[in-house]
């Protein structure tokens, strides 16, 4: 049995977790698989029968920002040793220095970077230079990959697999059952509007334009999803013709409920709706840092698999939404899209590759480039400590770089129960329970892998004392 740790960054949505969940399900009972995530969406992935542990991201305001990468190193190292993981697979755009510190310390553990392609042209290559943290890079396939013009498109030494999607590992419900579960009308045509986490979800923006055109041009019922990690509620004033789907994850088994969709053009949305045969208008989020959603949406349209628009073009969204109401066009899109489904083998491809790689891995020897990189990072850390965070951010501004959010070492009191009120010093909850409201709340949570050993619990308490100021 191969012991695998699937790690993810925080992300702005559920994309990283969703790909890792698909791989975890593909690994199945032949592997001991654990998730380790910086995302507050982790509790939703656990509902798929998986097990995992949450770690606060760098943007949570309790671990001092200049110590967070060391905290990540210690947290990651602790769970690797507790689970005796042989291989770590990290899904995220940002390869944090804390991961590099962990891989350098644990040379007998294989590290793989699951790195999505389709980066925007001109994206910073700083993160790509951190490939040396890993023993291998794996890139999930993209239906629009031949439109990829970003820096990952020509990267060498990369293992490329088929598209990774939950459609491969979760069977679809039939139409009647899907509508029953979602609480939707049985006898109406239904349009899905899935807002995502970009401009498409703005109250007066593209999402509302799409809803208005759908309702004006037909007698459709419209179902609007609320992102599982959204910060704000959706304001809708369209009466009983519109339903809000909230807290349903994943939606993949229930896509048979819908006759058409207007969706953001992120990786997971595209690689769930298209193979499910739902005729879709993909609206590209043009405010993403790396994901080239415009190239993806445009190429899918060129291939006859979907329609496309940009989130900063409201008239275009209106026009394309009205086109999507044409039953003949929808039939053409659905027929073309259904033909892609057999190519969705990326989750099982990756599962097989990870297992094989772990079995053949004989350890990592330090390379000159990695050693130099570690030396540079160590020097940077010392300069930051010397300057302090305020002056470091001032220097970054002078160099034209964005400042790092400053967080400070929190003063806390340890508690075993979620407090009714949040007082000073902050209550710090140490718990095996995983609840999104807790994770997104106003006080720190140190989550423990359920069923972990007493030795592990003690090690984690030692880390709490190291990175927080404890008040008895």
């Amino acid at each position: 049995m191969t012991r695998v740790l699937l790690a993810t960054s925080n992300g702005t949505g559920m994309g990283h977790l969703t790909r890792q969940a698909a791989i975890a399900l593909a690994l199945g009972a032949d592997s001991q698989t654990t998730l380790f995530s910086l995302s507050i969406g982790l509790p939703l992935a656990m509902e798929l029968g998986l097990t995992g542990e949450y770690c606060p991201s760098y943007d949570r305001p309790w671990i001092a920002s200049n110590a967070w990468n060391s905290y990540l190193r210690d947290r990651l190292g602790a769970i690797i040793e507790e689970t005796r993981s042989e291989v770590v697979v990290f899904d995220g755009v940002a390869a944090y220095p804390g991961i590099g510190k962990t891989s350098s310390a644990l040379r007998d553990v294989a590290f793989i970077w699951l790195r999505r392609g389709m980066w925007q042209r001109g994206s910073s290559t700083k993160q790509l230079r951190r490939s040396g943290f890993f023993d291998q890079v794996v890139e999930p396939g993209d239906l629009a990959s031949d439109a990829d013009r970003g820096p990952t498109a020509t990267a060498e030494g990369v293992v490329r697999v088929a598209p990774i999607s939950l459609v491969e590992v979760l069977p679809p419900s039939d139409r009647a059952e899907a509508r029953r579960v979602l609480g939707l009308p049985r006898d109406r045509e239904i349009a899905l509007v899935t807002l995502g986490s970009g401009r498409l979800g703005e109250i007066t923006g593209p999402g509302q334009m799409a809803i208005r055109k759908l309702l004006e041009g037909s007698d459709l019922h419209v179902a609007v999803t609320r992102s599982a990690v959204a910060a704000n509620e959706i304001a809708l004033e369209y009466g009983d013709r519109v339903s809000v789907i909230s807290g349903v994850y994943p939606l993949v088994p229930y896509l048979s409920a819908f006759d058409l969709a207007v969706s953001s053009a992120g990786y997971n949305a595209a690689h769930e709706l298209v193979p499910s045969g739902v005729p879709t208008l993909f609206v590209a989020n043009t405010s993403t840092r790396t994901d080239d959603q415009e190239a993806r949406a445009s190429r899918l349209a060129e291939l006859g698999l979907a329609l496309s628009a940009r989130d900063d073009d409201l008239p275009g969204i209106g026009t394309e939404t009205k086109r999507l109401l044409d039953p003949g066009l929808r039939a053409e899109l659905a027929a073309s899209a259904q033909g892609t489904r057999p190519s969705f083998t990326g989750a099982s491809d990756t599962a097989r590759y990870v297992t094989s790689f772990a079995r053949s891995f004989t350890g990592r020897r330090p390379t000159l480039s990695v050693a130099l990189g570690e030396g540079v990072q160590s020097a940077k850390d010392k300069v930051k400590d010397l300057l302090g965070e305020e002056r470091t951010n001032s220097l970054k501004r002078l160099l034209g770089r964005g400042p790092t959010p400053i967080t400070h070492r929190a003063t806390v009191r340890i508690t075993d129960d979620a407090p009714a009120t949040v007082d000073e010093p902050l209550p710090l909850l140490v718990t095996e329970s995983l609840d999104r409201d807790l994770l997104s709340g106003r006080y720190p949570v140190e989550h423990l892998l359920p069923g972990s050993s007493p030795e592990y619990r003690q090690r984690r308490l030692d880390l709490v004392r190291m990175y927080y100021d404890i008040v008895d």
Side-chain angles (χ1 to χ4, degrees):
M1 176 176 288
T2 307
R3 293 180 291 275
V4 182
L5 186 72
L6 301 175
T8 82
S9 65
N10 57 338
T12 57
M14 292 292 293
H16 303 301
L17 266 174
T18 297
R19 282 189 293 272
Q20 294 285 48
I23 294 167
L25 293 173
L27 283 164
D30 293 335
S31 298
Q32 174 192 293
T33 306
T34 307
L35 287 172
F36 177 81
S37 181
L38 309 182
S39 171
I40 62 173
L42 181 63
L44 294 165
M46 298 299 94
E47 293 177 8
L48 292 170
L50 306 174
T51 186
E53 184 176 276
Y54 166 76
C55 175
S57 180
Y58 61 87
D59 58 357
R60 304 299 278 163
W62 304 300
I63 304 294
S65 51
N66 62 351
W68 183 82
N69 274 294
S70 295
Y71 170 77
L72 177 62
R73 172 201 62 201
D74 292 342
R75 283 289 308 271
L76 189 54
I79 195 170
I80 289 170
E81 293 182 12
E82 171 68 9
T83 57
R84 296 181 295 130
S85 294
E86 303 161 74
V87 57
V88 176
V89 182
F90 172 72
D91 188 315
V93 172
Y96 309 110
I99 296 175
K101 293 179 178 183
T102 313
S103 64
S104 293
L106 301 177
R107 299 192 184 279
D108 292 332
V109 179
F111 278 71
I112 294 173
W113 189 1
L114 185 68
R115 190 180 67 204
R116 173 188 49 73
M118 294 292 291
W119 288 24
Q120 295 182 34
R121 189 181 306 185
S123 294
S124 169
T125 58
K126 174 183 176 181
Q127 292 299 331
L128 299 184
R129 294 195 293 272
R130 292 177 175 171
S131 299
F133 293 169
F134 303 90
D135 303 292
Q136 185 59 63
V137 176
V138 174
E139 182 179 301
D142 196 305
L143 288 171
S145 61
D146 55 359
D148 189 350
R149 299 294 183 268
T152 64
T154 56
E156 297 180 353
V158 175
V159 173
R160 292 180 169 86
V161 297
I164 296 175
S165 173
L166 285 171
V167 298
E168 181 189 352
V169 292
L170 292 179
S173 299
D174 64 44
R175 187 180 183 87
E177 175 63 9
R179 291 189 169 188
R180 184 193 68 78
V181 170
L182 299 177
L184 296 173
R186 292 181 299 172
D187 303 322
R188 300 271 297 278
E189 284 196 324
I190 301 177
L192 171 68
V193 177
T194 179
L195 303 175
S197 56
R199 288 199 189 112
L200 187 58
E202 291 180 358
I203 299 304
T204 59
Q208 296 293 343
M209 169 63 80
I211 294 169
R212 188 163 64 249
K213 292 300 179 181
L214 289 168
L215 296 176
E216 285 177 358
S218 69
D219 60 355
L220 287 167
H221 186 86
V222 177
V224 183
T225 63
R226 178 175 182 269
S227 169
V229 293
N232 302 308
E233 296 287 346
I234 300 167
L236 296 173
E237 298 177 355
Y238 297 105
D240 60 5
R241 287 189 64 190
V242 176
S243 301
V244 175
I245 300 173
S246 181
V248 177
Y249 175 85
L251 195 59
V252 167
Y254 311 116
L255 290 177
S256 56
F258 305 106
D259 298 280
L260 62 156
V262 178
S263 171
S264 58
Y267 181 93
N268 286 74
H271 294 91
E272 291 172 358
L273 287 162
V274 171
S276 296
V278 182
T280 301
L281 163 61
F282 286 113
V283 180
N285 179 353
T286 57
S287 63
T288 57
R289 291 185 187 179
T290 55
D291 189 21
D292 194 347
Q293 291 195 13
E294 185 177 1
R296 181 180 295 114
S298 296
R299 184 55 180 154
L300 292 177
E302 290 170 359
L303 294 170
L305 299 174
L307 301 182
S308 72
R310 291 168 50 104
D311 65 354
D312 57 0
D313 179 12
L314 292 182
I317 293 170
T319 298
E320 293 304 298
T321 300
K322 289 175 68 175
R323 285 187 65 207
L324 194 61
L325 296 174
D326 179 351
L329 175 60
R330 294 209 306 269
E332 292 175 10
L333 294 175
S336 298
Q338 281 281 22
T340 67
R341 194 177 183 105
S343 67
F344 280 73
T345 60
S348 55
D349 292 348
T350 305
R352 283 191 296 270
Y353 181 80
V354 166
T355 301
S356 174
F357 191 88
R359 289 173 179 167
S360 62
F361 186 70
T362 58
R364 179 184 316 102
R365 292 184 178 181
T367 64
L368 179 59
S369 61
V370 171
L372 288 173
E374 291 175 355
V376 169
Q377 186 63 48
S378 178
K380 286 181 178 179
D381 291 342
K382 289 178 180 177
V383 170
K384 289 177 183 177
D385 288 341
L386 182 64
L387 291 176
E389 291 176 299
E390 294 285 358
R391 279 185 283 187
T392 297
N393 276 342
S394 296
L395 179 60
K396 284 185 175 181
R397 291 188 186 96
L398 287 173
L399 296 174
R401 295 168 54 193
T404 301
I406 296 176
T407 55
H408 300 283
R409 182 181 172 107
T411 301
V412 301
R413 54 183 172 84
I414 296 177
T415 178
D416 290 325
D417 298 304
T421 59
V422 179
D423 303 313
E424 295 293 341
L426 287 171
L428 184 150
L429 181 63
V430 180
T431 179
E432 291 187 3
S433 298
L434 201 55
D435 178 271
R436 183 177 173 266
D437 290 336
L438 287 178
L439 301 187
S440 60
R442 292 181 294 147
Y443 57 90
V445 175
E446 285 288 312
H447 180 240
L448 295 168
L449 184 69
S452 51
S453 66
E455 293 79 11
Y456 182 69
R457 182 181 180 89
Q458 183 58 55
R459 183 172 179 181
R460 289 290 310 284
L461 289 173
D462 290 342
L463 293 180
V464 167
R465 294 185 181 93
M466 183 181 301
Y467 291 101
Y468 299 85
D469 286 326
I470 307 297
V471 174
D472 295 328

